[in-house]
Structure formats: structure tokens, C-alpha cells
Amino acid sequence: MDIQIEAPQHEHQKQLISFYKEKLNKKYAVYDFIKMIEVKVRLEKDAHTTVSLQCKPEKGKMLYASHTHGNENKALMETIRKLNIQIEKYKQVHYHSH
């Protein structure tokens, strides 16, 4: 799975990239219909962080989720939770139909 990360102005680029890649691979490598995930991490003016995830399943429309929080990890976890709901719905529609 290809993971593209965009995090301008983030002070810990190397740690951020390895952390996000590890976390997202653990979470989404089991879904063989997800070939690529795009991550955007944006530091807001109010010291909050917005994390957004976008992926395109093989046979479907783009899935997108984002969340803003004062703690970057909490923003990531909530974004993953939101994206998981969409992925599970996609999986049910495309892989569990008779």
C-alpha cells in the first residue's frame, strides 16, 4: 500500500512519516482493495492539528475523513475511526453482496 504524507511546517518530519506509515499500515494493510492513502497534517493557528485521510478503493469513490484536535494523536485516531466507518460500509456493499 502506498502512503503519501503531506505535513508542511511540521517540526518532526521523519518521526511523523514513520509513525503514520506504521500506524496506517497496521490498520489498513488487511484491506487489499485499498492501494493508496493520502495523509495531510495541518497545524492550525489556534495550536490545534487537523489530520485528514483520503483513500480510493479499487471499485469505489474516494473516501475522506478529517478531524481537528489540540492533540495530534487524538486527531489521527478520530480520523481513522471516521474513515473506518466508511471502509466497513464500502466492504459490505462491494464484498458481502449476494
Side-chain angles (χ1 to χ4, degrees), residues 3 5-7 9-24 39 41 72-73 76:
I3 299 174
I5 300 170
E6 192 178 300
Q9 291 110 29
H10 198 285
E11 56 190 61
H12 305 291
Q13 288 288 324
K14 279 188 175 178
Q15 296 94 323
L16 172 126
I17 290 169
S18 65
F19 176 77
Y20 276 64
K21 283 190 175 189
E22 182 182 331
K23 193 84 149 168
L24 295 171
V39 181
V41 180
E72 183 181 338
N73 192 51
L76 171 63

Side-chain angles (χ1 to χ4, degrees), residues 53-94:
L53 298 174
Q54 176 172 291
C55 68
K56 176 128 177 41
E58 279 181 329
K59 308 175 204 167
K61 296 177 184 164
M62 192 67 76
L63 303 178
Y64 175 85
S66 74
H67 190 77
T68 302
H69 197 280
N71 178 304
E72 183 181 338
N73 192 51
K74 288 185 179 176
L76 171 63
M77 297 314 292
E78 184 60 20
T79 304
I80 287 173
R81 188 191 68 74
K82 290 176 180 180
L83 189 62
N84 284 351
I85 293 168
Q86 296 176 55
I87 288 172
E88 287 302 318
K89 285 181 184 175
Y90 171 87
K91 194 170 91 173
Q92 286 179 344
V93 169
H94 290 87

